[in-house]
Amino acid sequence: MSKKQFGNIGKIGSKNLNIKPIDIRVTPSNRISNAQLKKLDPKGIASIPALTVNRNDLLNLKPNESWEITAQKLKDKDMYVAEYFGWYRSDQTTIDVHPENKYYPRLNNGMAGFLPEMRYLVLRFRPEMGKRYRVTIQLKSGSYRNKKVMTNIAGRYNDTWYINYQFNEVMFDFLASTNEIKISPIIAGYENYYVKYQPLEIEKINVDKVGD
């Protein structure tokens, strides 16, 4: 995998940015559509509802088949990292998932500039449709209190999860309906247009096909 390049954010103010926020308080769950996500300002990003899981309940599920992805092993059996936006070196210990700085020719009072856009790490494999899978994303040690990560399993909607800051991990389960698992950078939710997202530093991803 080749080394990825980033755009230069530059130094531009946020006071006069004319980006209309949307109200997501009517959202009935932690799900948000791709179309809604593109319209959110930092306050909207910060207010996305997120879920926690019962970690013990998920850990107690018996795995029938397992996959493990690390920076040194981007493929395990039929599962592989299909894409992500970030740096990669053969000796690195984490998979670093970054947002992409997208160029806008008329961002601020007609001036050009860059804004961070969501980019996913995409895992592809051949799950058994309708069966239950558990995902554990182990992160590099850090400060994750109130931080969130989005996943996209079904294609149209994004599910939002709180990072478990005690264990430096994200854990969730799903019923397979597609052959992709998409994982976002950290949702920072800062009130700053240029820090909506932060890099997600992943030590390993474990996916288990589990029984109920």
Side-chain angles (χ1 to χ4, degrees):
M1 187 176 293
S2 60
K3 201 172 184 179
K4 305 291 184 179
Q5 297 294 326
F6 295 96
N8 179 18
I9 292 177
K11 296 180 180 179
I12 47 181
S14 61
K15 291 183 179 179
N16 298 313
L17 289 175
N18 185 22
I19 299 179
K20 186 178 180 180
I22 64 172
D23 189 350
I24 62 170
R25 287 176 296 179
V26 297
T27 305
S29 67
N30 68 319
R31 287 194 155 189
I32 181 171
S33 72
N34 293 326
Q36 284 179 308
L37 181 61
K38 290 179 180 179
K39 297 177 182 178
L40 287 177
D41 67 358
K43 286 186 178 180
I45 291 289
S47 63
I48 294 173
L51 290 180
T52 57
V53 300
N54 189 316
R55 187 173 186 268
N56 288 334
D57 284 352
L58 286 186
L59 285 176
N60 286 335
L61 294 173
K62 182 180 178 181
N64 300 314
E65 187 177 5
S66 298
W67 297 260
E68 182 173 277
I69 297 294
T70 69
Q72 301 302 314
K73 188 173 70 173
L74 298 178
K75 181 178 181 180
D76 185 13
K77 295 177 285 191
D78 63 334
M79 178 176 288
Y80 63 98
V81 176
E83 62 181 87
Y84 77 96
F85 189 84
W87 301 107
Y88 181 78
R89 300 182 310 274
S90 60
D91 62 344
Q92 71 186 45
T93 58
T94 59
I95 304 172
D96 300 340
V97 185
H98 288 258
E100 179 180 8
N101 292 320
K102 185 176 178 181
Y103 177 79
Y104 288 86
R106 295 180 178 275
L107 178 62
N108 185 18
N109 287 339
M111 301 291 290
F114 291 86
L115 284 182
E117 295 289 324
M118 183 78 80
R119 290 289 294 269
Y120 293 96
L121 180 148
V122 181
L123 293 178
R124 292 199 182 113
F125 70 129
R126 293 192 294 274
E128 188 174 347
M129 295 301 163
K131 296 299 183 179
R132 189 178 184 185
Y133 290 80
R134 174 182 59 206
V135 180
T136 306
I137 306 169
Q138 189 65 46
L139 305 178
K140 181 179 179 180
S141 296
S143 178
Y144 298 113
R145 188 183 290 269
N146 296 322
K147 298 293 180 65
K148 310 168 190 176
V149 166
M150 277 188 178
T151 62
N152 192 310
I153 307 297
R156 181 180 176 187
Y157 289 99
N158 301 278
D159 296 297
T160 311
W161 311 91
Y162 276 113
I163 296 173
N164 187 325
Y165 63 88
Q166 293 177 306
F167 295 95
N168 298 313
E169 71 180 14
V170 181
M171 184 181 290
F172 61 94
D173 64 327
F174 66 93
L175 296 179
S177 60
T178 68
N179 66 345
E180 288 188 341
I181 301 172
K182 295 182 179 180
I183 302 165
S184 80
I186 292 173
I187 301 170
Y190 289 10
E191 292 191 20
N192 180 322
Y193 281 88
Y194 310 110
V195 199
K196 288 197 294 185
Y197 310 110
Q198 293 176 334
L200 184 71
E201 297 176 290
I202 299 173
E203 290 187 343
K204 64 179 179 179
I205 303 171
N206 292 102
V207 179
D208 302 300
K209 179 184 173 185
V210 295
D212 293 328

